[in-house]
Amino acid sequence: MRKVNLRGAWLRQTDLSRADVTGVRFRELPYLNVGSAALSCAFSPDAKWLAIGLENDDIVVYSTTNWDMVRTLSGHRNPVRVVVYSPDGTLIVSGGWDGTVRIWDMESGVCQHSLADHSEFVNCVAYSPHGDQVASASDDKTIRLWDPASGNCCQILSGHEEAVVCVVYSPKGDQVASGCADSSVRLWNVASGECSHIFDSHSGKIRGITFSPQGDQVASASNDMTIRLWDVRSAKCRHILEGHTDEVNSVVYSLKGDQIFSGSSDGTLRVWDVQSGTCRHTISGHGDNVNCVALSPKGDMIASGSWDETVRLWDVSVAGSRHISSGHSQAVLAVKCSPKGSLIASCSGDRTIRLWDMESGTCLRTLCGHGYTVSSVAFSHEGNQIISGSYDGTMRLWDVDTGTCHRISTGHTSWIFSITYSPQGDQVVSASKDNTVRLWNATTGEYCGSLSGRIRRIICVVYSPDCSLIATGNIYGTVRLWSAESMTCINTLKGHKNPVQDIVFSPRGGQLASASVDQTVRLWSVATGDCCQILRGHGDEVLSVAYSYKGDLLASGSSDKTVRLWDAESGQCRAVIQNLQGGVTSVAWIPSADVNYLVTGCEDGSVLKWHVTENEGHCVTLCWGATNGSLTLTGASIQDVSGLNSHNKQLLRQRGATGEPENQFREANKEVITMVSVVSQMRHPANGMVLDSPKIAYLSDEQPREQDEQQVEQQGPQQVERKEI
């Protein structure tokens, strides 16, 4: 098992017993449980140590050789907001919310100076490149420059009108950049103490700031969820980096200056290309706000600290790779395939839409602009445009090639749940929490009219293949068919006991499938309105449903973390994709008459592509996955495994492995290693499989069950809405 790269592998219940893993590249590092929120972290210049400032008032120092904690520095009386090393690595300087700047001897752990001239919190400290000066930023609206040898204050930089949050020296040490709660960034001349430039286009508090290695650019991170790149000479903003869905707390350049790493309160880190301003990678793993990001002196590792009381270590060579796709940072709510099958679009609670290459799974583009969860997305008839609907109440029209937003429609007054093009491509229909279903001219965006009649609480809408009908599903379990011409209801299909989450017409339009919270999929005759089949087997609410291109197979995704493939004619379950990492919120078939490819979107933010073949039964294999998952070894045995160093031993145990590996490396044995990974080939699972202790996740405690819709409406509005994840 040598020369294997297990980056992001999912090896649940894998038997690695007595294997030799010498040379295996896990490409992940163990995380550090530091016991308190990690507010700041810094590598020593020789990369041997990592210092972490904690909310519990302490500074802890870890050895990067074995990741053991070697020292605790105590003295601050409030949370330690920032720690940095001196350029020679002999000293640590820290700033705390007790209003002090402290200088520590690294070898002895003794505090040499406690500088208490600030009258408010100290938010940031920075060492000059030559080590002869320290800068500190405070809530008292000032920046102070200190002599670290004597502890004397040399200069006070005044001018900010609110709290100074962050400060950093230029690579030459002749300038200082500072970020303020008033949303401005200032450049100061260290010798004169004068402010030379003010950058003020952010709309929120500045949280982090850094110079590029060349010193020609400043990057600022803000509460406005953006990072801005400023030209030092012209004071012009060169790029605005958008993608984070919450305030950006920390930012750092790569050693070459061609990439930027950022940490955000949305729980993610992002890797950005400096030249283009595009996001190359999203790194997930923390369970709370990412407060700080630090780059190792060799540039090969990132450390990130979080309110989840961990510091996580990331391999930069993997994180920065343009060939590795990560999933959304929050739940995927919809996936759709382009008409030619070359692209996949996904939308998410992280407020973004992503375009994926169907063959490789590479994320080609991330579309940002919505202010809230993006709930629905659809390709135009030609496939050159995408329309999206959001909980911010707007619809946006995007150019597929450029990612430019061409139009924003604001007719709805509340959340948009569902949006789709007509098959002819001339109209768009949208369903909203404002109790309207609206039709729009696809070319101009003009409002064309609304469905009339009983429009209460509709959460999904779709056109029939011939454009003559519109089908809707609501929270009362009712499916309705409407005339697209007259916009009036012509049939009501009742049977579901709980909300209808998704509906779809068969390719020929003779059949309609509906997915419901009642854990069933129902197949309806469009001509008569009769229920032809009830498909049972899911152990939790069914969130999505889709017909294959030929219409012979039906896929359904569920909160039980499975996808089921059904025979559309007989209603029999032909295959089950199991043990996914999150509920399956959306399924879509890639349009092809020759081969069956299925795409799934999940609550864990992943987008996965599957190949479905029929060879003595239906077999399902994973083609590619865009996930945020890390190495998973739940139930795996590493008993007597050889070739594990202390890092990897700790890593595998954190990822769920059990057993005791050998202490010494040994030569590889010849025993067979059995790996049961994500999904192998699955043939004819038993119909009606019952999961252990199924959990039924209703949308509300007041969820209507067997009541007739009219009876429910007579009782008044129910507090039942589509779940926001």
Side-chain angles (χ1 to χ4, degrees):
M1 198 182 159
R2 298 185 179 211
K3 296 183 180 180
V4 177
N5 185 349
L6 294 182
R7 166 66 183 173
W10 189 10
L11 305 176
R12 295 167 64 93
Q13 300 183 350
T14 303
D15 184 7
L16 297 175
S17 298
R18 302 183 66 185
D20 179 8
V21 295
T22 304
V24 171
R25 301 174 70 195
F26 293 96
R27 303 300 295 273
E28 296 186 36
L29 295 166
Y31 56 83
L32 310 177
N33 286 304
V34 293
S36 181
L39 304 183
S40 177
C41 55
F43 285 96
S44 62
D46 60 7
K48 292 182 178 180
W49 317 103
L50 179 69
I52 304 165
L54 301 177
E55 187 194 20
N56 67 6
D57 311 346
D58 287 338
I59 301 164
V60 291
V61 180
Y62 282 79
S63 165
T64 61
T65 303
N66 54 19
W67 295 111
D68 288 339
M69 188 175 72
V70 296
R71 180 167 288 120
T72 299
L73 308 179
S74 299
H76 282 287
R77 298 185 302 276
N78 285 108
V80 181
R81 184 63 187 88
V82 62
V83 292
V84 295
Y85 278 90
S86 62
D88 62 6
T90 61
L91 300 174
I92 291 176
V93 63
S94 59
W97 286 341
D98 58 4
T100 67
V101 175
R102 293 176 183 256
I103 300 175
W104 310 81
D105 179 78
M106 176 58 193
E107 185 174 352
S108 66
V110 174
C111 179
Q112 295 184 345
H113 296 289
S114 179
L115 315 178
D117 289 6
H118 282 295
S119 59
E120 299 286 348
F121 292 171
V122 174
N123 297 311
C124 190
V125 294
Y127 246 108
S128 65
H130 304 298
D132 58 345
Q133 200 173 70
V134 169
S136 59
S138 170
D139 271 11
D140 64 13
K141 307 178 185 179
T142 69
I143 301 155
R144 290 179 178 259
L145 306 183
W146 310 83
D147 179 352
S150 65
N152 294 328
C153 180
C154 310
Q155 195 166 189
I156 301 175
L157 309 182
S158 301
H160 282 296
E161 297 179 357
E162 294 186 31
V164 188
V165 181
C166 44
V167 64
V168 65
Y169 279 91
S170 65
K172 293 182 179 180
D174 58 336
Q175 288 183 309
V176 165
S178 59
C180 181
D182 65 6
S183 76
S184 71
V185 174
R186 291 180 179 238
L187 288 184
W188 308 82
N189 183 288
V190 171
S192 66
E194 294 180 354
C195 177
S196 57
H197 292 298
I198 299 177
F199 312 143
D200 58 0
S201 67
H202 276 292
S203 60
K205 177 180 179 180
I206 308 299
R207 305 284 300 182
I209 194 167
T210 186
F211 272 95
S212 65
Q214 297 78 20
D216 59 341
Q217 201 173 70
V218 168
S220 56
S222 170
N223 275 9
D224 64 13
M225 301 185 291
T226 71
I227 301 157
R228 293 175 187 255
L229 308 186
W230 308 89
D231 185 275
V232 170
R233 290 185 178 180
S234 67
K236 292 182 179 180
C237 180
R238 295 302 185 187
H239 284 298
I240 300 176
L241 312 185
E242 296 179 301
H244 280 298
T245 58
D246 208 331
E247 59 192 39
V248 188
N249 300 316
S250 184
V251 62
V252 63
Y253 279 90
S254 64
L255 293 187
K256 294 181 180 179
D258 58 338
Q259 291 182 323
I260 283 178
F261 306 97
S262 60
S264 167
S265 292
D266 63 15
T268 71
L269 291 83
R270 286 183 178 247
V271 184
W272 308 85
D273 182 85
V274 170
Q275 184 174 1
S276 65
T278 57
C279 179
R280 294 301 187 188
H281 198 72
T282 302
I283 307 171
S284 298
H286 281 293
D288 209 328
N289 298 6
V290 178
N291 298 318
C292 55
V293 177
L295 184 70
S296 66
K298 296 180 181 179
D300 59 345
M301 186 190 307
I302 301 171
S304 58
S306 169
W307 282 104
D308 65 9
E309 301 187 356
T310 70
V311 171
R312 291 186 177 262
L313 307 164
W314 313 92
D315 186 333
V316 172
S317 62
V318 173
S321 172
R322 298 188 182 193
H323 303 290
I324 295 178
S325 295
S326 62
H328 286 277
S329 60
Q330 294 187 31
V332 174
L333 297 187
V335 291
K336 293 294 173 62
C337 300
S338 64
K340 295 181 180 179
S342 59
L343 296 175
I344 295 164
S346 59
C347 62
S348 167
D350 66 11
R351 310 180 191 181
T352 69
I353 300 125
R354 295 194 183 198
L355 296 179
W356 311 87
D357 179 78
M358 190 276 289
E359 289 293 337
S360 66
T362 302
C363 181
L364 304 175
R365 189 163 284 108
T366 300
L367 312 181
C368 303
H370 281 294
Y372 206 5
T373 295
V374 187
S375 54
S376 189
V377 65
F379 279 95
S380 64
H381 184 68
E382 297 81 10
N384 62 335
Q385 291 182 323
I386 284 176
I387 194 161
S388 58
S390 169
Y391 287 178
D392 64 13
T394 69
M395 298 182 297
R396 288 178 177 251
L397 184 68
W398 309 85
D399 184 276
V400 168
D401 292 330
T402 65
T404 304
C405 179
H406 288 319
R407 187 173 66 233
I408 302 174
S409 301
T410 58
H412 284 293
T413 60
S414 189
W415 296 359
I416 295 175
F417 288 138
S418 182
I419 190 168
T420 188
Y421 276 95
S422 64
Q424 294 177 350
D426 58 336
Q427 281 192 331
V428 169
V429 62
S430 57
S432 169
K433 185 183 176 183
D434 63 12
N435 290 326
T436 66
V437 175
R438 293 174 176 252
L439 280 70
W440 313 82
N441 183 293
T443 303
T444 65
E446 294 179 353
Y447 171 66
C448 300
S450 299
L451 299 186
S452 59
R454 303 167 73 84
I455 314 292
R456 295 293 299 274
R457 305 297 178 87
I458 290 175
I459 54 179
C460 49
V461 62
V462 66
Y463 275 96
S464 65
D466 63 2
C467 298
S468 64
L469 299 174
I470 295 173
T472 60
N474 66 19
I475 69 166
Y476 307 106
T478 303
V479 176
R480 282 194 165 90
L481 299 180
W482 309 76
S483 166
E485 183 178 359
S486 66
M487 303 185 194
T488 58
C489 180
I490 60 175
N491 207 346
T492 301
L493 317 181
K494 294 184 179 181
H496 285 296
K497 298 179 180 180
N498 294 110
V500 176
Q501 298 277 61
D502 196 16
I503 49 176
V504 63
F505 280 95
S506 63
R508 295 184 178 180
Q511 196 176 68
L512 182 74
S514 56
S516 172
V517 174
D518 65 13
Q519 304 180 26
T520 70
V521 176
R522 288 181 178 250
L523 306 184
W524 310 85
S525 167
V526 173
T528 66
D530 295 333
C531 180
C532 310
Q533 297 275 357
I534 302 177
L535 312 184
R536 294 185 172 93
H538 282 295
D540 208 331
E541 60 184 68
V542 187
L543 302 175
S544 54
V545 64
Y547 281 94
S548 63
Y549 182 79
K550 294 180 180 179
D552 56 333
L553 288 176
L554 189 72
S556 58
S558 169
S559 290
D560 65 12
K561 302 180 182 180
T562 71
V563 175
R564 286 181 172 259
L565 302 182
W566 311 85
D567 186 294
E569 184 176 353
S570 68
Q572 291 186 335
C573 183
R574 295 303 187 189
V576 181
I577 304 173
Q578 305 181 74
N579 298 324
L580 298 176
Q581 293 293 84
V584 184
T585 54
S586 185
V587 292
W589 294 88
I590 294 173
S592 172
D594 302 322
V595 64
N596 281 327
Y597 288 113
L598 180 70
V599 180
T600 58
C602 296
E603 290 176 348
D604 66 345
S606 64
V607 177
L608 308 171
K609 176 189 170 186
W610 310 85
H611 186 199
V612 181
T613 58
E614 188 172 0
N615 182 18
E616 297 180 1
H618 288 85
C619 305
V620 183
T621 53
L622 180 66
C623 301
W624 55 257
T627 73
N628 296 315
S630 56
L631 181 69
T632 302
L633 286 154
T634 305
S637 170
I638 56 172
Q639 184 67 36
D640 296 327
V641 168
S642 66
L644 282 178
N645 59 30
S646 58
H647 289 182
N648 289 339
K649 179 179 176 180
Q650 184 180 1
L651 168 68
L652 298 186
R653 284 182 169 170
Q654 286 178 345
R655 299 301 190 263
T658 61
E660 185 63 35
E662 282 193 356
N663 292 327
Q664 302 296 328
F665 292 176
R666 61 181 173 83
E667 291 299 320
N669 60 39
K670 303 299 182 181
E671 298 199 18
V672 177
I673 302 171
T674 303
M675 296 186 182
V676 182
S677 60
V678 188
V679 175
S680 58
Q681 295 183 344
M682 296 163 287
R683 304 170 185 268
H684 296 299
N687 290 332
M689 179 185 71
V690 178
L691 302 181
D692 293 336
S693 304
K695 174 187 175 184
I696 303 173
Y698 292 111
L699 302 185
S700 167
D701 293 333
E702 299 180 347
Q703 175 61 51
R705 293 174 179 265
E706 299 183 359
Q707 299 101 318
D708 180 80
E709 178 184 345
Q710 184 175 359
Q711 293 175 330
V712 174
E713 291 187 358
Q714 289 174 351
Q715 295 171 2
Q718 302 291 312
Q719 298 300 313
V720 184
E721 308 295 351
R722 172 174 264 191
K723 177 173 58 179
E724 184 192 358
I725 305 169

